[in-house]
Amino acid sequence: MGMNVGAFVCSCADTCDIDLEGVRDGVRDVEVVASSSHLCDDGLPAMAHLIEEYDLDQLLVTTPEPRCQDSIRETATAKGLHPDATAFVDHREGAAWVHDRDAATDKTARLVNARRAGIDHEPVSRTVSQDAGDTVAVVGDHETAAALADTADVTLVANGEDFDTVDADLSEVTLARGRVADVVGEYGDFELELRARVTEDCISCMDCVHEGPDGMVTRSPVDIAPDAPDGEWADCCPVDAIHLDGVERTIEADQVIFPAATGAARSGQIGLYTGPVDGATIAAVEDLLGGIEKPKHLDLDMDVCAAGESSQAGCNACVDACPHGAVSRPHVDEVSFDLVACQDCGACTSACPTGATTLREPSNERIAREVETLLDPGEEDGLLGGLRGDDGIETPVVAFVCSERADDALRRYGRLAREDDDLRYPPILPVQVNCTDTVGEAHVVHALAAGADGVAIVGCGGDCLHSGPDPKAELVRRLDRATEDLGLGERVTFLAPDPREPGAFVEDLSRFVVELDPTPIPAGDHEATGTVRGDKPNPPFNSHDWTLESVRTILDHVDPEREVIRGLKDFGWMAVSDACNLTPTCSTMCPTDAIRRTDDADLQFNHEDCVNCGLCEEGCPETAITMHDGLDLSRLPENRDGERWETVYEGEMRNCVRCGKAFASEGTAEHIAGEVGELVEGVAPKAEHSIFDYCGNCRAYLLFEEGGR
């Protein structure tokens, strides 16, 4: 059953300089579109009437103001709509306050249309859960330990500190002596390895404190510094608890707070907190006490994973990309995803070439539809068609905007621009993503194929919350190289809006937009399927297929500068040396079936399907394979009279000297003879030829019939 959608446009009491009628004319695919100068006040009764008249079950409303959103949501729920059935569009800070009237009108209509396209691809809600206890290990931070003592079972690990005189109530806290040597495990199952010079037999008699070197022995808990000197004083312990050679023990905890540590995961691991501790840290710990239930962020299809096979590692893109330690290799040829530890940044999904891991919200298909809708100028005689050009959005730039710090920074810029016209910037077309880690080559190349003049990846100012400083520099370099090779010139940038320096962002974005030439690719013509062919098992909108589909669209409108397009990581082509013995290793291990052996002993390669995982090169026993990076246009079937397969090594079959049947390649037969020839010498004494010149059936005849066995 279809969804009845209504769109409502407001001018915020005429503080937004947009053409309400123009926006109404530009909004598409809704049952009704209405406007008001003050929608959240005197426009609410009319909204309620339209909800009932058109039987609406989804609303799209232009207001970024939380108070107004609450009023509109209350009106909708009073009419029977679900609380989540109202979606909001920022037409103020993100459009009217930072662009001129025509551009803001054009952009507002596009934003509403994109939000309409996106709601058709919202996923069915799914959750993941993990049980855990209430034990928390706090390393060296007595104030945090005391703050958590009322809600958790807290162990305070001394890590060399002395808590004898601290001003904190530690009566409900367990003290653990020793310094932390290592922390391993995951949420609900952490282990801390502690090293000390005093055992758990200690009775805190204080003799060692009195006799030991000054400042080298702590009182609470009792322990001895690693650099404390040996001496007769160490014999003072009445229970022999002093071991200057050191002792080790392990304690367990469901969560760990270790302010002085540097986590193995770049951006933190669920249940393991490093760096400064504040109220938010304590709240996060308390939220996880007893277990967790959270939205499921990823869909997995491990049948198409290129991570490895037969003890070969293969593709490691998702493991390398994850900044939270949520993807690991339990075995050399296997990857494992901890869906509870996943922080929804999308790094693994943009890195995966095959679609084995995909983000649920926003899905790649949803992103594609929003991009295509934002770029669609509409009918030539309609609002958007008329505004495209000098009167509207002259240079359409798709901006993938991080929904964490970057989105907040742009909203702040909008408020500042209300007072200072110098902070107005070109009308970029924003697509919200969880993090710029979500954005990969497929997203950018698709936006260009859909008609964008340029693509801006807009991330966190300073360090990304997930991936650290300048997280997309390498991606921008690669894609600018690819667009240069395709004949489009450089069209990609990364911008990090700093709330403290809005002028720098405005200057950088303006320079980027001004330097863009109009794209030769028409906007509004391309609708991606995210596939290469219908017979492939990979999910639609996987990085490899989606990118290739977009490149093919671009090639319809440009003359590429080079035959091999560099910078696209998910494409490679194979070269094979004479060392090849045509063993089946490469064809067996290839996760996308891009390699095959023919009956004529030829090795063939399909560049269209290769994702450049390197398994064939890694696993080849003769080291005969070399993989080269890049998308080679000459190797695609459209440039080879439709032929997908090319012969990369011409072999020769060995025919059985008895029956004449071809049974093995010459290289394989010679290789086996060289390996085991001495072991089987003389097993068929009546044979006229070498045992390796006979097929399996004839070899059995020689051994069992003529041999009299």
Side-chain angles (χ1 to χ4, degrees), residues 86 90 94 115 132 189 191 257 288 311 373 539 543 560 609 640 683:
T86 304
D90 177 11
R115 193 68 183 87
D189 189 23
E191 291 186 351
I257 300 176
L288 295 182
S311 298
T373 304
S543 179
D609 288 349
R640 304 180 68 250
V683 297

Side-chain angles (χ1 to χ4, degrees), residues 528-655:
T529 66
T531 59
V532 170
R533 299 186 314 277
D535 62 346
K536 294 188 68 177
N538 305 73
F541 294 94
N542 65 80
S543 179
H544 174 274
D545 288 5
W546 190 17
T547 301
L548 181 54
E549 179 190 32
S550 299
V551 167
R552 283 171 163 158
T553 298
I554 292 171
L555 290 172
D556 289 338
H557 305 281
V558 300
D559 292 320
E561 297 287 333
R562 301 177 82 253
E563 205 163 58
V564 177
I565 308 301
R566 300 164 297 177
L568 301 177
K569 70 176 179 61
D570 296 338
F571 300 87
W573 52 277
M574 171 190 285
V576 183
S577 74
D578 290 338
C580 177
N581 286 326
L582 285 174
T583 53
T585 307
C586 58
S587 56
T588 300
M589 294 178 66
C590 180
T592 59
D593 295 327
I595 308 169
R596 72 180 184 184
R597 292 194 311 166
T598 69
D599 293 338
D600 296 328
D602 290 340
L603 188 66
Q604 294 189 327
F605 172 69
N606 178 356
H607 182 52
E608 183 183 49
D609 288 349
C610 174
V611 296
N612 203 24
C613 69
L615 261 175
C616 56
E617 182 178 21
E618 179 184 352
C620 177
E622 294 90 19
T623 63
I625 296 174
T626 302
M627 289 301 301
H628 298 274
D629 297 338
L631 175 61
D632 189 339
L633 302 179
S634 69
R635 286 181 157 86
L636 294 176
E638 57 265 35
N639 298 319
R640 304 180 68 250
D641 297 325
E643 178 56 55
R644 290 164 47 201
W645 295 94
E646 63 173 311
T647 299
V648 290
Y649 181 78
E650 292 185 359
E652 182 181 352
M653 292 299 292
R654 179 170 292 190
N655 297 321

Side-chain angles (χ1 to χ4, degrees), residues 10 76 139 141 157 190 230 238 283 345 369 391 435 522 543 615 618 702:
C10 182
V139 182
D141 186 342
V157 180
F190 284 107
D230 295 348
C345 70
R369 299 298 171 246
D391 295 330
C435 169
S543 179
L615 261 175
E618 179 184 352
L702 290 174

Side-chain angles (χ1 to χ4, degrees), residues 5-9 20 23-25 27 30-35 50 112:
V5 181
F8 297 86
V9 187
L20 292 178
V23 175
R24 291 200 310 269
D25 290 344
V27 173
V30 297
E31 274 61 46
V32 61
V33 56
S35 62
L50 290 174
V112 174

Side-chain angles (χ1 to χ4, degrees), residues 185-217:
E186 58 191 23
Y187 166 64
D189 189 23
F190 284 107
E191 291 186 351
L192 290 79
E193 180 185 323
L194 308 183
R195 293 177 184 169
R197 302 181 83 184
V198 174
T199 73
E200 293 306 288
D201 294 329
C202 175
I203 58 174
S204 301
C205 68
M206 299 292 135
D207 279 359
C208 60
V209 176
H210 181 265
E211 298 290 340
D214 290 344
M216 293 285 187
V217 185

